[in-house]
């Protein structure tokens, strides 16, 4: 079975009201949802263009509404132990989720929550994705270099530096395949967090629709020269995500 180290393989919405989250995202992106039994519990799987891309679950006590990311590893137990030695803090120990795979959740050395995952099947091949699919994930970190060292060590990645007006943007890679970005948090007081991106056909129209459905706009539609156009939203329960249209699509 093939595990693509560091690849984004799942994104999960945790909230006090998964039904409200489902209604919002179905209206915004046209996602569908179906129930699946996982580890003896009823799990709500999000599908787009005929593929499962994520899920909804109730938030744990004290957990804020969020989109959590899952990154692929070959051996959850080994990577979990390695992460702890590298300065991560435990959140959920390695756990089986039959029949789909095994996972664990950590707080990385800059305080962002991240999950690692070993699927019972094959990881999807790297390829362009259709509108409605997750297309990027970005760590906004209090200490980008500290975060970069952790993730490169954990997943065996390299990186490219992309100059920005207020610092560097680090694009993590596994060979020629991009595995996510790391940048300095916009605010010095902001908690480090992973921000997932959804590919959309029209950033401006999607942003306006999200606002009409009760979302807040955190960053207005903005061009990234040579890359594409994006905006950042906070859904009606407070989970952050970005929408993105690559240049030339």
């Amino acid at each position: 079975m093939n595990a693509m180290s560091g690849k984004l393989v799942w994104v999960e919405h945790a909230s006090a009201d998964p039904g409200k989250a489902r209604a919002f995202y179905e209206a915004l992106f046209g996602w569908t949802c179906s129930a699946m039994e996982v580890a003896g519990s009823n799990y709500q799987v999000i599908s787009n263009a005929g593929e499962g891309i994520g899920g909804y679950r109730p938030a744990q006590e004290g957990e804020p509404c969020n989109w959590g990311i899952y990154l692929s590893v070959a051996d959850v137990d080994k990577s979990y132990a390695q992460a702890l030695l590298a300065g991560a803090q435990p959140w959920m120990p390695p756990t089986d989720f039959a029949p789909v795979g095994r996972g664990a959740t950590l707080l990385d050395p800059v305080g962002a929550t991240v999950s690692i995952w070993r699927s019972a099947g094959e990881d999807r091949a790297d390829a362009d994705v259709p509108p409605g699919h997750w297309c990027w994930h970005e760590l906004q970190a209090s200490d980008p270099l500290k975060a970069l060292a952790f993730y490169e060590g954990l997943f065996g990645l390299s990186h490219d530096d992309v100059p920005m007006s207020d610092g560097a943007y680090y694009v993590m890679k596994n060979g020629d395949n991009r595995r996510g970005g790391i940048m300095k948090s916009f605010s010095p007081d902001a908690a480090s967090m992973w921000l997932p991106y959804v590919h959309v056909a029209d950033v401006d129209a999607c942003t306006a629709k999200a606002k009409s459905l009760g979302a807040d706009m955190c960053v207005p539609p903005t061009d990234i020269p040579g890359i594409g156009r994006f905006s950042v939203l906070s859904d009606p329960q407070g989970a952050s995500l970005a929408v993105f249209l690559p240049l030339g699509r």
Side-chain angles (χ1 to χ4, degrees), residues 15-42:
S15 72
D17 191 340
K20 182 178 181 179
R22 173 179 173 175
F24 171 78
Y25 288 105
E26 286 184 354
L28 183 60
F29 297 130
W31 289 346
T32 59
C33 187
S34 59
M36 177 181 185
E37 185 172 316
V38 177
S41 298
N42 192 30

Side-chain angles (χ1 to χ4, degrees), residues 3-95:
M4 299 183 181
S5 186
K7 181 179 175 65
L8 181 70
V9 289
W10 199 252
V11 186
E12 185 177 73
H13 190 278
S15 72
D17 191 340
K20 182 178 181 179
R22 173 179 173 175
F24 171 78
Y25 288 105
E26 286 184 354
L28 183 60
F29 297 130
W31 289 346
T32 59
C33 187
S34 59
M36 177 181 185
E37 185 172 316
V38 177
S41 298
N42 192 30
Y43 186 77
Q44 299 297 310
V45 176
I46 302 165
S47 293
N48 180 70
E51 280 191 84
I53 61 168
Y56 301 111
R57 67 170 175 84
Q60 299 177 26
E61 184 177 353
E63 180 185 14
C65 183
N66 71 94
W67 279 108
I69 69 165
Y70 286 70
L71 304 178
S72 182
V73 295
D75 186 320
V76 170
D77 298 73
K78 182 177 178 179
S79 292
Y80 182 79
Q82 181 182 346
L84 296 181
L85 287 173
Q89 299 297 314
W91 183 262
M92 181 189 74
T95 303

Side-chain angles (χ1 to χ4, degrees), residues 227-228 245-249:
I227 303 295
L245 177 63
L247 196 66
R249 293 292 294 275

Side-chain angles (χ1 to χ4, degrees), residues 162-246:
V162 180
M164 295 175 62
S165 59
D166 54 353
Y169 190 98
Y170 305 103
V171 176
M172 295 184 293
K173 303 190 307 177
N174 187 340
D176 293 329
N177 297 309
R178 296 183 173 188
R179 290 290 179 254
I182 297 178
M183 63 178 290
K184 180 75 173 177
S185 300
F186 290 112
S187 168
D189 299 325
S192 299
M193 61 169 284
W194 279 100
L195 181 71
Y197 283 62
V198 177
H199 178 198
V200 297
D202 186 323
V203 170
D204 298 70
C206 184
T207 302
K209 186 173 184 179
K211 290 173 65 179
S212 76
L213 294 168
D216 291 327
M217 182 176 67
C218 305
V219 178
T222 302
D223 288 325
I224 309 170
I227 303 295
R229 188 167 175 82
F230 82 108
S231 71
V232 180
L233 305 166
S234 177
D235 74 19
Q237 297 187 79
S240 296
L241 75 160
V243 294
F244 177 68
L245 177 63

Side-chain angles (χ1 to χ4, degrees), residues 110 141-152 159 161 168 170 182:
V110 296
S142 57
D143 186 336
L145 290 176
K146 184 176 183 179
L148 181 65
F150 172 77
Y151 285 100
E152 285 191 333
H159 74 274
D161 293 2
Y170 305 103
I182 297 178

